[in-house]
Amino acid sequence: MKPRVHERFLFHFTLHKKSRTKLDDWATIHLRVSVGPQRKEIRLQRRVRADDWIQAAGRVRRPGQEAYEINTYLDEMRHKLFTIHGKLVAKGKSYTAQDIVDRLFTTEKNERMLIVLFQEHNEGIRELVGREYSIGRYYQHNRTLKHLRKFKQKEFDEDDFPIKKVDLQFIQRFEHHLLVFRAGGRNTVSKYVTISKRSCE
């Protein structure tokens, strides 16, 4: 169930302790987004020395061009997050931390992304439940999205994936993933794959 529109929205940048190396003490910056009790954390493509990081401010303290570029990047991310949240609230629709992250990376890459497109497809089905679709069909599409997210993060270690890169090999690997991790019998797996193909069209 998605949080209500008025749920508290928070985000902050932090260093991931497990990403630090023993040799140079560099760490990867992570973004943590919270909507009510739900939370989503993702790794950003930026690394800093742990000693140069101001945790309370979510910024790099060391002077220099590299620190300036990282702080500018983080400021741009903050602006995009507030913009995305504002648009969702203005629409009066419920949303999750995952929804915000998905839209952030669609804006970040400026191209059609798999998970965002799949979510929009599922939202369209939800709005037509009882008229053109059954609630069972809606749940089936949501389960497909759940499996697709797990596959994408395991195989590509990315939070989303460009639609233009979804090819036959991608679909075949997704099908193999479903079978290996026992997502269901052959018929169920075939339905998940079919739903994925249609949602990407």
Side-chain angles (χ1 to χ4, degrees):
M1 179 179 294
K2 290 192 175 185
R4 295 181 296 276
V5 177
H6 61 269
E7 289 277 18
R8 190 179 186 189
F9 163 64
L10 298 170
F11 68 85
H12 68 276
F13 300 99
T14 184
L15 294 189
H16 199 274
K17 294 180 180 179
K18 292 184 179 180
S19 68
R20 296 185 185 181
T21 63
K22 295 180 179 179
L23 296 178
D24 54 20
D25 199 34
W26 284 71
T28 304
I29 301 174
H30 280 224
L31 166 65
R32 185 176 298 159
V33 177
S34 300
V35 176
Q38 296 187 356
R39 188 175 72 179
K40 175 66 180 177
E41 184 170 326
I42 57 172
R43 183 183 67 229
L44 303 178
Q45 300 301 315
R46 298 292 188 279
R47 300 179 74 236
V48 299
R49 289 187 182 278
D51 291 341
D52 295 332
W53 182 253
I54 307 175
Q55 182 62 39
R59 299 178 68 82
V60 183
R61 81 170 107 227
R62 186 178 52 156
Q65 184 63 29
E66 184 178 4
Y68 171 79
E69 291 177 355
I70 292 176
N71 286 335
T72 299
Y73 171 77
L74 296 177
D75 286 341
E76 291 174 352
M77 294 280 280
R78 289 184 179 93
H79 175 73
K80 290 175 182 177
L81 284 162
F82 282 124
T83 300
I84 291 167
H85 176 251
K87 289 181 178 179
L88 288 169
V89 171
K91 289 180 179 179
K93 292 186 176 182
S94 57
Y95 56 89
T96 65
Q98 182 70 59
D99 291 333
I100 290 177
V101 169
D102 288 341
R103 283 165 174 76
L104 172 66
F105 279 85
T106 298
T107 304
E108 181 80 1
K109 298 175 183 178
N110 196 28
E111 59 184 344
R112 298 173 73 215
M113 304 299 288
L114 175 61
I115 298 301
V116 170
L117 188 64
F118 208 115
Q119 282 186 313
E120 292 175 352
H121 175 80
N122 286 7
E123 184 65 21
I125 290 178
R126 186 190 67 78
E127 292 174 350
L128 293 174
V129 167
R131 285 179 287 174
E132 295 187 22
Y133 298 99
S134 66
I135 189 66
R137 175 66 65 86
Y138 172 64
Y139 288 152
Q140 189 176 58
H141 277 69
N142 274 344
R143 285 194 295 271
T144 304
L145 176 58
K146 181 180 178 180
H147 289 305
L148 192 58
R149 274 195 176 120
K150 289 181 178 179
F151 162 72
K152 174 182 53 58
Q153 291 175 348
K154 178 180 182 297
E155 294 292 322
F156 304 99
D157 196 25
E158 295 286 346
D159 214 68
D160 210 335
F161 195 83
I163 281 291
K164 66 182 181 181
K165 293 185 180 181
V166 177
D167 53 14
L168 178 60
Q169 184 180 22
F170 180 95
I171 296 297
Q172 290 175 338
R173 289 172 67 182
F174 178 47
E175 182 176 14
H176 179 73
H177 168 85
L178 292 171
L179 291 170
V180 169
F181 288 93
R182 302 177 185 276
R186 171 64 68 172
N187 290 339
T188 300
V189 167
S190 295
K191 288 180 181 178
Y192 289 147
V193 172
T194 299
I195 290 172
S196 299
K197 290 179 180 178
R198 290 176 178 173
S199 299
C200 295
E201 293 176 351

